[in-house]
Amino acid sequence: MEKGDNTDQSLAVEYAKAENPKSSGVVIVPKNLDVSLAVEAGKVGFKGLNITSLKRAVTIRNGQTLLNKTTFDLIGSQMEIDARYKDESPLTANFDLGIKVLDFNVQRAYKEIDMVRELASSAKDVNGTVSINYKLKGDFDQDMKPIYPSLEGGGVVNLRDVEVKNLKMLSVIGDNVGANAFNNPDMKGVNIQTHIKNNLIHVEEFKFKVSVLRPSISGTTSFNGLLDILVKVGLPPAGWISIPVAVIGTAEKPKIKFFSRTGQSILTAIYNRKINKVIREETRGKETSGREQRKEKREQEKKAKEAENKVDNNLKRKS
């Protein structure tokens, strides 16, 4: 058998093992392969996830693994993904991912999938099913875990049939206005559009029902739970008159200011993609007016939308 051309790569792996004995390392894709495989698997285990009914062709080319409209079942839901994966070193890798899923059981996902608990901590207060259409790009660390400040992208989550109970950010508003209905708002069928950039999640305004009230939510939160949210409580009739409520603090300890559009900005995390390092975690910024918040939000959403489009272009170009 003729010897392959991965000698340098193998040596790099050995050095990485010696220097980082407690790390598992990323999946290394052979650089000398150009193949397409038809994959059909009844059950696959990966990082604690039980994936079943996996079907699709996998292409390995130029050191990258490409998945095109791959379908599989995870926690009882059928998913479809387009993805690209490439290792940068034995300890780092990058990816582009587009995912679509119907009837995703929120509580089961929260209990069984680490990324859901970290990406959507408020999911613990949600029961029922959602649909997801999302695009992301980012990096993996030495243990094949996503580096959250590296994530960029966005999409839509549809709350198909859900119950939202005792969400602290809303409950604290209800406590102050004497409306217990805020502990169990009607959010069935609501579309929530978000964009992710620099460890912050920017939420487009969406409306829902609380008894006769018509509140709306928009603003920014972080993966570490910081809040800079504006809630407008729409009064009858039809919510034409609204009371602004600024929500700051954290998801676990929210603070509110009635009749105020002035929140407290969140300074973005800083991530160096070249060396795969988080230079600065996101932190609290200054109090900002509604106008300043909208300007900052537009700038961040533009950057995140560009990243989302880049995921699309990468997936199309590589497939």
Side-chain angles (χ1 to χ4, degrees), residues 106-128:
V106 181
Q107 274 303 301
R108 187 171 174 186
Y110 183 82
K111 293 175 181 176
E112 298 183 25
I113 304 177
D114 291 342
M115 186 182 289
V116 171
R117 288 195 296 274
E118 295 172 1
L119 280 174
S121 59
S122 60
K124 69 179 183 297
D125 301 309
V126 179
N127 287 285

Short mmCIF file of all heavy atoms in Angstrom, two decimals, residues 106-128:
data_model
loop_
_atom_site.label_atom_id
_atom_site.label_comp_id
_atom_site.label_asym_id
_atom_site.label_seq_id
_atom_site.Cartn_x
_atom_site.Cartn_y
_atom_site.Cartn_z
N VAL A 106 -39.39 21.27 23.52
CA VAL A 106 -38.50 22.19 24.20
C VAL A 106 -37.94 21.61 25.49
O VAL A 106 -36.73 21.68 25.75
CB VAL A 106 -39.23 23.52 24.49
CG1 VAL A 106 -38.27 24.49 25.20
CG2 VAL A 106 -39.75 24.15 23.21
N GLN A 107 -38.78 21.04 26.32
CA GLN A 107 -38.31 20.52 27.60
C GLN A 107 -37.35 19.35 27.43
O GLN A 107 -36.33 19.26 28.13
CB GLN A 107 -39.50 20.10 28.47
CG GLN A 107 -40.09 21.23 29.28
CD GLN A 107 -39.09 21.89 30.20
OE1 GLN A 107 -38.49 21.25 31.06
NE2 GLN A 107 -38.87 23.19 30.00
N ARG A 108 -37.64 18.48 26.47
CA ARG A 108 -36.75 17.35 26.23
C ARG A 108 -35.40 17.85 25.72
O ARG A 108 -34.35 17.35 26.13
CB ARG A 108 -37.38 16.38 25.24
CG ARG A 108 -36.58 15.11 25.07
CD ARG A 108 -37.31 14.08 24.25
NE ARG A 108 -36.46 12.93 23.99
CZ ARG A 108 -36.78 11.91 23.20
NH1 ARG A 108 -37.97 11.90 22.61
NH2 ARG A 108 -35.94 10.92 23.01
N ALA A 109 -35.45 18.85 24.84
CA ALA A 109 -34.20 19.41 24.31
C ALA A 109 -33.40 20.07 25.43
O ALA A 109 -32.18 19.92 25.50
CB ALA A 109 -34.52 20.42 23.21
N TYR A 110 -34.09 20.80 26.30
CA TYR A 110 -33.40 21.49 27.39
C TYR A 110 -32.71 20.49 28.32
O TYR A 110 -31.59 20.74 28.80
CB TYR A 110 -34.39 22.35 28.18
CG TYR A 110 -33.74 23.16 29.28
CD1 TYR A 110 -33.12 24.37 28.99
CD2 TYR A 110 -33.74 22.72 30.60
CE1 TYR A 110 -32.51 25.12 29.98
CE2 TYR A 110 -33.13 23.45 31.60
CZ TYR A 110 -32.52 24.65 31.29
OH TYR A 110 -31.91 25.39 32.28
N LYS A 111 -33.34 19.37 28.56
CA LYS A 111 -32.79 18.38 29.48
C LYS A 111 -31.67 17.55 28.85
O LYS A 111 -30.75 17.11 29.54
CB LYS A 111 -33.91 17.45 29.97
CG LYS A 111 -34.94 18.14 30.86
CD LYS A 111 -36.08 17.20 31.20
CE LYS A 111 -37.13 17.90 32.06
NZ LYS A 111 -38.30 17.03 32.34
N GLU A 112 -31.74 17.31 27.53
CA GLU A 112 -30.84 16.35 26.90
C GLU A 112 -29.71 16.95 26.07
O GLU A 112 -28.74 16.27 25.76
CB GLU A 112 -31.64 15.38 26.02
CG GLU A 112 -32.65 14.55 26.80
CD GLU A 112 -33.38 13.55 25.93
OE1 GLU A 112 -32.83 13.16 24.88
OE2 GLU A 112 -34.50 13.16 26.30
N ILE A 113 -29.84 18.24 25.69
CA ILE A 113 -28.84 18.83 24.80
C ILE A 113 -28.16 20.02 25.48
O ILE A 113 -28.80 21.02 25.78
CB ILE A 113 -29.48 19.28 23.47
CG1 ILE A 113 -30.20 18.10 22.79
CG2 ILE A 113 -28.42 19.87 22.53
CD1 ILE A 113 -30.91 18.47 21.52
N ASP A 114 -26.87 19.90 25.71
CA ASP A 114 -26.12 20.94 26.41
C ASP A 114 -26.24 22.29 25.71
O ASP A 114 -26.42 23.32 26.36
CB ASP A 114 -24.64 20.55 26.51
CG ASP A 114 -24.41 19.38 27.45
OD1 ASP A 114 -25.32 19.10 28.26
OD2 ASP A 114 -23.34 18.75 27.38
N MET A 115 -26.14 22.28 24.37
CA MET A 115 -26.14 23.54 23.64
C MET A 115 -27.46 24.29 23.82
O MET A 115 -27.48 25.52 23.87
CB MET A 115 -25.87 23.31 22.16
CG MET A 115 -25.73 24.63 21.37
SD MET A 115 -25.44 24.40 19.60
CE MET A 115 -23.76 23.78 19.64
N VAL A 116 -28.57 23.57 23.92
CA VAL A 116 -29.86 24.23 24.11
C VAL A 116 -29.89 24.94 25.46
O VAL A 116 -30.37 26.07 25.58
CB VAL A 116 -31.01 23.22 23.99
CG1 VAL A 116 -32.34 23.84 24.40
CG2 VAL A 116 -31.10 22.68 22.56
N ARG A 117 -29.38 24.28 26.49
CA ARG A 117 -29.36 24.91 27.82
C ARG A 117 -28.51 26.17 27.83
O ARG A 117 -28.82 27.14 28.51
CB ARG A 117 -28.82 23.92 28.87
CG ARG A 117 -29.80 22.80 29.21
CD ARG A 117 -29.38 22.08 30.47
NE ARG A 117 -28.11 21.39 30.31
CZ ARG A 117 -27.99 20.16 29.82
NH1 ARG A 117 -29.06 19.51 29.41
NH2 ARG A 117 -26.80 19.59 29.72
N GLU A 118 -27.43 26.17 27.03
CA GLU A 118 -26.53 27.32 27.03
C GLU A 118 -26.99 28.40 26.05
O GLU A 118 -26.84 29.59 26.33
CB GLU A 118 -25.12 26.84 26.69
CG GLU A 118 -24.55 25.92 27.78
CD GLU A 118 -23.23 25.27 27.38
OE1 GLU A 118 -22.75 25.57 26.27
OE2 GLU A 118 -22.69 24.49 28.16
N LEU A 119 -27.55 28.00 24.92
CA LEU A 119 -28.02 28.98 23.94
C LEU A 119 -29.35 29.61 24.33
O LEU A 119 -29.61 30.76 24.02
CB LEU A 119 -28.17 28.32 22.56
CG LEU A 119 -26.92 28.13 21.72
CD1 LEU A 119 -27.24 27.33 20.47
CD2 LEU A 119 -26.29 29.45 21.34
N ALA A 120 -30.19 28.84 24.98
CA ALA A 120 -31.55 29.32 25.30
C ALA A 120 -31.90 28.93 26.72
O ALA A 120 -32.69 28.02 26.96
CB ALA A 120 -32.55 28.74 24.31
N SER A 121 -31.31 29.63 27.69
CA SER A 121 -31.54 29.28 29.09
C SER A 121 -33.00 29.45 29.49
O SER A 121 -33.49 28.76 30.39
CB SER A 121 -30.65 30.14 29.99
OG SER A 121 -30.92 31.52 29.80
N SER A 122 -33.73 30.36 28.84
CA SER A 122 -35.14 30.57 29.17
C SER A 122 -36.01 29.39 28.76
O SER A 122 -37.19 29.32 29.14
CB SER A 122 -35.67 31.85 28.51
OG SER A 122 -35.55 31.77 27.10
N ALA A 123 -35.44 28.44 28.00
CA ALA A 123 -36.22 27.27 27.57
C ALA A 123 -36.70 26.44 28.76
O ALA A 123 -37.67 25.69 28.65
CB ALA A 123 -35.38 26.39 26.64
N LYS A 124 -36.06 26.59 29.90
CA LYS A 124 -36.48 25.84 31.08
C LYS A 124 -37.88 26.24 31.53
O LYS A 124 -38.56 25.49 32.24
CB LYS A 124 -35.49 26.02 32.23
CG LYS A 124 -35.45 27.41 32.85
CD LYS A 124 -34.46 27.45 33.99
CE LYS A 124 -34.43 28.81 34.67
NZ LYS A 124 -33.99 29.89 33.77
N ASP A 125 -38.34 27.43 31.12
CA ASP A 125 -39.67 27.91 31.50
C ASP A 125 -40.71 27.67 30.41
O ASP A 125 -41.83 28.17 30.49
CB ASP A 125 -39.61 29.42 31.79
CG ASP A 125 -38.64 29.74 32.92
OD1 ASP A 125 -38.75 29.10 33.98
OD2 ASP A 125 -37.78 30.61 32.73
N VAL A 126 -40.33 26.91 29.38
CA VAL A 126 -41.22 26.69 28.23
C VAL A 126 -41.56 25.22 28.10
O VAL A 126 -40.68 24.35 28.16
CB VAL A 126 -40.56 27.19 26.92
CG1 VAL A 126 -41.47 26.94 25.73
CG2 VAL A 126 -40.22 28.68 27.03
N ASN A 127 -42.84 24.91 27.91
CA ASN A 127 -43.29 23.56 27.62
C ASN A 127 -43.98 23.56 26.26
O ASN A 127 -44.67 24.52 25.91
CB ASN A 127 -44.28 23.06 28.68
CG ASN A 127 -43.61 22.74 29.99
OD1 ASN A 127 -42.94 21.72 30.13
ND2 ASN A 127 -43.76 23.62 30.97
N GLY A 128 -43.81 22.47 25.50
CA GLY A 128 -44.48 22.36 24.22
C GLY A 128 -43.49 22.18 23.08
O GLY A 128 -42.35 21.76 23.28
#
